[in-house]
């Protein structure tokens, strides 16, 4: 199955998204192209990486993931293809791919100059043709050679001791729920049975299993489908009501 996912910060009002898809379909009209999102804030690598990390494993192994985020920015050091957990990613070498997993890719290919033309629209002119051809059966090695020049970004990590976990909000979703970088496995390893989650002026000493297990207007916390601590207000926008946003600090104190 020739499957390509497409993630960008292009929005939906301009010609950019259909132009990229047209370029791929001109190479292989049988391609299946799945949009992950084009509503990323411009140049927001962290949000883009969050979405891709949360979704790519749900696609079949061998899926090609095309990323068009900040492809012409000063952070970008050429264009690469990587293989990670039997998925192929094609995009700019600007650090976004370093945020997808805790380990480095198994294969990193720097696309050769013959494939990298001067362009003000590299996602269409450079990356889309390679993505379409790789999804159709070509290997990423056909377009370049191994590279050690893999740009890395440091994701913010929660800090944990036996007494406390200090984490941060990494995403405020469409509903105002606060997704944090506090992982279930870390919490379960440290939790002695009693704890207090502190966020803004509120605190909770109990985890729920879902969104609707508290009364409307009450706060909740649970570990979501990504095994990350999520905090919200039932039928309310937690970010706005609590004055919390991305990078706001969340505390879990143990034994209290």
């Amino acid at each position: 199955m020739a499957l390509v996912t497409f993630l960008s910060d292009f929005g939906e009002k301009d010609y950019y998204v259909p132009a990229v898809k047209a370029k791929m379909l001109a190479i292989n009209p049988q391609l299946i192209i799945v949009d992950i999102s084009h509503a990323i804030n411009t140049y927001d690598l962290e949000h883009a990486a969050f979405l891709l990390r949360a979704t790519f494993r749900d696609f079949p192994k061998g899926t090609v993931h095309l990323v068009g985020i900040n492809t012409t920015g000063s952070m970008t050091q050429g264009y690469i293809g990587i293989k990670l957990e039997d998925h192929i990613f094609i995009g700019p070498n600007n650090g976004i791919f370093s945020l997808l997993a805790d380990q480095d890719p198994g294969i990193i290919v720097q696309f050769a100059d013959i494939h990298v033309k001067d362009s003000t629209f590299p996602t269409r002119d450079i990356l889309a043709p390679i993505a379409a051809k790789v999804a159709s059966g070509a290997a990423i090695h056909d377009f370049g050679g191994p590279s050690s020049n893999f740009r890395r970004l440091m994701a913010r990590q929660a800090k944990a001791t036996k007494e406390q976990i200090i984490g941060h909000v990494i995403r405020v979703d469409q509903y105002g729920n606060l997704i944090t970088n506090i992982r279930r496995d870390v919490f379960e390893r440290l939790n002695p049975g009693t704890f207090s989650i502190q966020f803004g002026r509120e605190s909770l000493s109990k985890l729920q299993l879902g969104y609707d297990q508290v009364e409307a207007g009450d706060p909740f916390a649970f570990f979501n489908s990504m095994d990350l601590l999520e905090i919200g207000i039932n039928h309310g926008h937690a970010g706005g009501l609590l004055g919390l946003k991305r990078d706001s600090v969340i505390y879990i104190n143990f034994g209290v």
Side-chain angles (χ1 to χ4, degrees), residues 21-95:
K21 292 181 180 180
K23 178 68 76 170
M24 290 191 285
L25 291 170
I27 293 170
N28 182 355
Q30 304 304 314
L31 279 180
I32 299 172
I33 303 172
V34 177
D35 296 301
I36 292 181
S37 178
H38 302 294
I40 305 295
N41 289 334
T42 51
Y43 317 126
D44 192 343
L45 297 181
E46 185 178 359
H47 182 198
F50 171 80
L51 289 183
L52 195 52
R53 180 169 181 149
T55 56
F56 84 82
R57 295 178 182 88
D58 295 325
F59 288 94
K61 291 182 178 180
T63 296
V64 174
H65 304 276
L66 172 61
V67 176
I69 306 285
N70 202 21
T71 54
T72 60
S74 60
M75 292 178 61
T76 295
Q77 300 175 355
Y79 305 99
I80 59 175
I82 70 168
K83 186 173 184 180
L84 176 69
E85 299 181 23
D86 292 320
H87 290 253
I88 303 296
F89 300 84
I90 291 172
N93 186 18
N94 57 17

Side-chain angles (χ1 to χ4, degrees), residues 161-215:
T161 68
K162 291 182 179 180
E163 292 79 28
Q164 187 182 62
I165 299 175
I166 303 175
H168 293 83
V169 176
I170 57 174
R171 176 67 185 154
V172 181
D173 74 7
Q174 179 75 14
Y175 302 94
N177 299 324
L178 311 169
I179 301 172
T180 78
N181 61 353
I182 298 175
R183 292 165 28 191
R184 183 198 298 270
D185 61 335
V186 175
F187 172 81
E188 291 182 345
R189 187 166 63 247
L190 296 174
N191 180 21
T194 57
F195 60 88
S196 173
I197 304 171
Q198 294 184 337
F199 47 100
R201 301 178 302 275
E202 301 288 336
S203 66
L204 292 170
S205 58
K206 180 180 179 181
L207 290 172
Q208 306 296 332
L209 298 176
Y211 297 96
D212 59 353
Q213 295 188 332
V214 297
E215 296 294 328

Side-chain angles (χ1 to χ4, degrees), residues 173-177 216-218 220 231-241:
D173 74 7
Q174 179 75 14
Y175 302 94
N177 299 324
D218 286 345
F220 61 81
I231 296 167
I233 293 176
N234 191 16
H235 289 107
H237 192 290
L241 292 171

